[in-house]
Amino acid sequence: MNRLNQLFAAKKDNLLSIYYTAGYPAIDTTIDIAEALEKAGADFLEIGFPYSDPVADGPTIQNSSQQALDNGMTLNLLFEQLKDLRKRVSIPILLMGYVNPIVQFGVERFCKMAAEAGVDGVIVPDLPMYEYETLYSGFFKDNNLSNIFLVTPQTSEERIRKIDNLSDSFIYLLSSSSITGGNLSVSNSIEDYYKRVKAMELKNPTIIGFGISNSETFNKACQYANGAIVGSAFVKLLEQDGYMGKISGFVRSIRP
Amino acid sequence: MKYGVNEQGYYGDFGGAYIPEMLYPNVEELRQQYLKIINDADFKAEFDQLLKDYVGRPSPLYHAKRYSEKYGANIFLKREDLNHTGSHKINNAIGQILLAKRLGKKRIIAETGAGQHGVATATVCALMGIECIVYMGEVDMARQAPNVARMKMLGAKVVPAKSGSKTLKDATNEALRDWIGNPVDTHYIIGSVVGPYPYPDMVARFQSIISAETKQQLKEHTGKELPEYVMACVGGGSNAMGMFYHFLDDESVKLVAVEAAGKGVDSGHSAATTFLGKEGVLHGSRTILMQTDDGQVVEPYSVSAGLDYPGIGPQHAHLYKINRAQYVSVTDDEALQAGLLCCQLEGIIPAIESAHALAQLEKMKFKADDNVVVCLSGRGDKDLDTYIKYFNY
């Protein structure tokens, strides 16, 4: 049981997760932002580590990643910053990023350092299931780290079952086949997809992400899943002056 | 094939399909269908017909007599520059558009660096009456303005890639993002032997016509179908893979792949991937790529936009690692000088990409009866500005 499992055991509905990029807008605010988000009531967090070529991300997160790299963010520095994480933040934390920086860092070393820092799970959009299963799953399990898989409206039922079997905390449902930062439009076909997944009665909870930007889209997503993730909309808030003072208002505007 | 891809999409340690879940259905559809489609008799007949009547194949294998005298061996040039649209890129574009039609796709996207693949894709889309969107780095659009105009004349929409370094790798990222957002009706025509499996294998098969013809033509010229050396330039590596393909299992044939050293391998302005790169993941496959210690992709440099790519195809990475092919590099200056020499000795203005392969001839030690085939992958019309500026014509 890691913190994610404990959270999902205790709370089944309206879970709110927030994503932000480490090293953006300033190099040294990673923990400050996490602390402010916890105080504001977020249930768990995704901290992105930047990559030069983030193909699954839209302009907002691309820009935050580039800025973070320009500010000097690296995995080494992030783990250095995360040494204080568990002194100040108690909600579950996921790291999110692309596979190449992890491969260069060393996957085993990455998992070990993440666990030492008190990280609970990892989301790597471009790490395929086959490579995870055959090469890396042992490192994740040894370190009690959850690997989070994505599901899209095009994912087959057979594949969703397989993902459910490989998952041990939650499944990340994409609101549409898109990059991050779009607008959630609940068309009939998307509603059918949510209903289809819900009817499968998966053993893992589901959290909807991509396109969740306000209370309306958050509430809509929570009708079909255990909660939702806000990413680009929060990263946009961080572009504003005095963003630290606005974090609590932002979280309350999503889930009063 | 000994050096071919396995069922999981790997060449030794390299390859695979490192893609976000959003791309999984598209790539899986291709993986399940591509061999069935391209081995189908109707497909083959249509592909061969278009290569013959539209592209102008077979491209000649030309015995370059003055080169042969200069370098003391029998030098042959495989004339891909004489293809319609001016390079080998059209072979793959024809193959993939026929495949896209059979998959029922209504919309084509592509990335392009110098514009050669973009022009080839725009051409086949015009031929088939299919919508075409080409992603091109904003910096490359300025460097290669005539090719942008050509694509527009052919009816394609050219979309500037404004992220990152605004060159080929970013155009590839933008094309992948488009594909994520349009998973059902769109086919992505990747221009090189890169990307997630099955692309590297599929593109290599479409380009393998180059070596299939060469074997036959060399036999007509020399009585033997195997040369001693086969040489080609490598950016992503599609002309080289097409040129090597049917010689891979003939271990007596020495394969030489020429990378772009730019201003010198150690200058900080280079695209010599096997010299400067490390193993990692780029654009959906495990391969060798130029990157920082932190795993961030490094922007490469070469005077030749077609070789200006930070990785190589996974099959090349494998051939490099097991030493089946030799990977060497040539600087901007050496390539430009070799391009001019080709004009003056053989009356052929080569693309600067192909001039890299020609420049390597200077560094080889041949025996008098060696047969050497160099892939002249493209013509130099698109590079006239660069040649003119360099030589002050």
Side-chain angles (χ1 to χ4, degrees):
Chain A
M1 290 276 276
N2 59 33
R3 291 175 197 83
L4 280 167
N5 305 127
Q6 288 161 11
L7 171 67
F8 288 114
K11 196 170 168 188
K12 311 280 184 203
D13 302 303
N14 295 320
L15 288 155
L16 173 62
S17 175
I18 304 281
Y19 167 93
Y20 64 99
T21 308
Y24 176 84
I27 188 72
D28 52 1
T29 50
T30 309
I31 307 271
D32 296 342
I33 292 173
E35 196 174 46
L37 283 167
E38 176 168 23
K39 275 195 189 122
D43 292 302
F44 62 105
L45 303 179
E46 290 163 38
I47 301 178
F49 50 93
Y51 180 48
S52 55
D53 295 77
V55 291
D57 285 302
T60 303
I61 294 178
Q62 282 175 43
N63 177 53
S64 68
S65 298
Q66 192 55 53
Q67 278 292 320
L69 290 174
D70 293 346
N71 289 345
M73 183 48 73
T74 63
L75 269 177
N76 274 311
L77 179 60
L78 178 60
F79 283 126
E80 189 61 39
Q81 293 180 348
L82 292 181
K83 280 187 176 151
D84 288 338
L85 175 72
R86 288 305 172 195
K87 288 182 199 145
R88 293 171 57 189
V89 180
S90 60
I91 55 177
I93 300 282
L94 296 141
L95 295 183
M96 183 166 188
Y98 291 81
V99 71
N100 194 52
I102 302 178
V103 168
Q104 291 315 308
F105 194 81
V107 181
E108 185 174 11
R109 179 169 161 238
F110 174 87
C111 289
K112 227 176 128 212
M113 292 196 63
E116 276 168 16
V119 168
D120 305 289
V122 182
I123 306 175
V124 189
D126 59 343
L127 173 60
M129 206 192 285
Y130 170 77
E131 279 73 7
Y132 171 70
E133 263 189 291
T134 52
L135 300 174
Y136 303 134
S137 61
F139 303 142
F140 282 70
K141 286 181 183 131
D142 290 350
N143 290 290
N144 201 18
L145 280 179
S146 294
N147 182 33
I148 312 300
F149 292 94
L150 311 183
V151 161
T152 82
Q154 275 75 39
T155 309
S156 69
E157 187 163 333
E158 186 193 352
R159 192 166 163 85
I160 295 174
R161 289 278 174 219
K162 197 167 174 203
I163 285 170
D164 194 33
N165 280 329
L166 277 176
S167 299
D168 57 14
S169 59
F170 73 93
I171 294 173
Y172 194 139
L173 288 191
L174 265 58
S175 60
S176 64
S177 183
S178 70
I179 53 177
T180 56
N183 287 313
L184 179 72
S185 60
V186 182
S187 63
N188 288 338
S189 63
I190 293 295
E191 204 155 344
D192 286 348
Y193 148 68
Y194 290 149
K195 283 180 183 161
R196 178 165 61 88
V197 175
K198 198 163 183 178
M200 287 178 72
E201 297 184 347
L202 302 174
K203 61 179 176 127
N204 288 281
T206 53
I207 301 288
I208 292 177
F210 285 34
I212 312 295
S213 59
N214 52 32
S215 64
E216 191 193 343
T217 45
F218 177 77
N219 289 335
K220 194 82 196 170
C222 289
Q223 287 175 20
Y224 303 100
N226 303 79
I229 301 163
V230 177
S232 297
F234 182 69
V235 173
K236 275 185 193 150
L237 178 89
L238 300 180
E239 290 167 6
Q240 298 173 15
D241 290 338
Y243 59 87
M244 284 304 287
K246 297 176 181 171
I247 288 176
S248 139
F250 178 87
V251 172
R252 273 198 301 272
S253 78
I254 304 279
R255 190 187 59 188
Chain B
M1 275 185 70
K2 187 173 164 193
Y3 301 100
V5 74
N6 72 16
E7 263 184 31
Q8 297 298 337
Y10 277 83
Y11 307 87
D13 297 336
F14 303 104
Y18 288 76
I19 45 169
E21 185 64 26
M22 297 82 102
L23 287 176
Y24 181 82
N26 311 31
V27 171
E28 180 62 13
E29 179 186 32
L30 266 185
R31 191 181 71 80
Q32 291 192 3
Q33 299 289 332
Y34 86 110
L35 286 179
K36 215 185 297 173
I37 292 176
I38 67 182
N39 289 325
D40 172 71
D42 280 353
F43 179 93
K44 280 186 174 169
E46 197 178 353
F47 185 51
D48 291 348
Q49 186 79 42
L50 281 170
L51 288 184
K52 177 170 170 281
D53 297 339
Y54 189 71
V55 175
R57 302 204 72 93
S59 68
L61 182 70
Y62 164 66
H63 184 198
K65 299 219 170 48
R66 297 188 68 197
Y67 261 147
S68 298
E69 271 170 38
K70 180 171 168 61
Y71 294 118
N74 295 313
I75 312 288
F76 294 88
L77 302 179
K78 181 59 174 163
R79 298 291 307 275
E80 293 299 303
D81 61 314
L82 294 177
N83 292 339
H84 179 45
T85 72
S87 81
H88 71 290
K89 292 288 186 190
I90 192 77
N91 304 329
N92 168 53
I94 296 263
Q96 286 205 46
I97 197 79
L98 295 178
L99 182 111
K101 257 176 58 182
R102 280 160 176 79
L103 291 171
K105 304 293 178 179
K106 309 280 181 240
R107 183 173 172 273
I108 296 295
I109 54 172
E111 84 296 338
T112 197
Q116 291 305 95
H117 173 58
V119 168
T121 303
T123 299
V124 298
C125 287
L127 183 67
M128 298 295 164
I130 297 182
E131 182 186 1
C132 180
I133 294 104
V134 179
Y135 290 90
M136 188 169 185
E138 207 170 39
V139 170
D140 289 337
M141 283 179 75
R143 287 199 285 199
Q144 309 283 340
N147 269 346
V148 176
R150 285 168 84 193
M151 287 185 269
K152 288 182 179 167
M153 285 179 72
L154 291 160
K157 186 176 161 200
V158 183
V159 181
K162 297 181 177 182
S163 57
S165 53
K166 304 177 178 64
T167 58
L168 177 57
K169 82 175 173 70
D170 310 288
T172 308
N173 293 339
E174 289 303 331
L176 287 167
R177 288 179 185 123
D178 180 308
W179 210 21
I180 286 172
N182 298 283
V184 181
D185 67 339
T186 298
H187 176 68
Y188 177 16
I189 300 190
I190 294 183
S192 192
V193 287
V194 302
Y197 175 67
Y199 277 102
D201 185 51
M202 181 168 72
V203 177
R205 284 168 188 263
F206 289 142
Q207 293 295 359
S208 69
I209 183 80
I210 301 173
S211 47
E213 287 175 4
T214 298
K215 269 192 164 177
Q216 204 182 341
Q217 292 166 324
L218 196 67
K219 193 166 184 190
E220 287 161 19
H221 277 286
T222 67
K224 296 188 293 184
E225 62 176 26
L226 298 183
E228 274 64 37
Y229 292 91
V230 170
M231 301 168 61
C233 65
V234 178
S238 69
N239 92 84
M241 200 46 68
M243 187 75 247
F244 293 172
Y245 196 89
H246 289 288
F247 295 111
L248 285 172
D249 288 342
D250 299 309
E251 308 274 350
S252 69
V253 180
K254 298 180 202 62
L255 308 173
V256 181
V258 186
E259 298 181 339
K263 293 178 180 170
V265 169
D266 299 320
S267 67
H269 303 277
S270 177
T273 304
T274 59
F275 292 84
L276 298 169
K278 286 179 291 186
E279 296 183 20
V281 175
L282 179 67
H283 293 144
S285 66
R286 195 175 267 260
T287 186
I288 296 172
L289 65 139
M290 292 165 55
Q291 54 185 315
T292 65
D293 291 341
D294 191 44
Q296 310 299 337
V297 182
V298 167
E299 186 55 26
Y301 163 81
S302 164
V303 67
S304 144
L307 303 182
D308 201 351
Y309 185 70
I312 47 172
Q315 194 171 11
H316 281 295
H318 179 54
L319 296 178
Y320 167 75
K321 194 167 178 181
I322 62 170
N323 282 317
R324 172 63 190 98
Q326 186 192 359
Y327 288 75
V328 297
S329 72
V330 152
T331 63
D332 288 356
D333 290 333
E334 290 167 330
L336 288 160
Q337 293 293 347
L340 187 67
L341 185 70
C342 185
C343 299
Q344 296 177 349
L345 280 185
E346 299 292 348
I348 299 168
I349 303 177
I352 298 174
E353 288 80 6
S354 321
H356 281 73
L358 296 170
Q360 181 63 22
L361 286 169
E362 289 279 348
K363 305 179 182 182
M364 303 292 290
K365 288 199 171 67
F366 297 125
K367 292 202 286 285
D369 54 354
D370 282 347
N371 292 320
V372 178
V373 180
V374 183
C375 188
L376 201 72
S377 56
R379 70 178 81 127
D381 307 27
K382 70 181 175 64
D383 297 317
L384 281 183
D385 268 1
T386 310
Y387 280 127
I388 289 166
K389 274 186 200 133
Y390 187 80
F391 291 108
N392 282 317
Y393 280 112

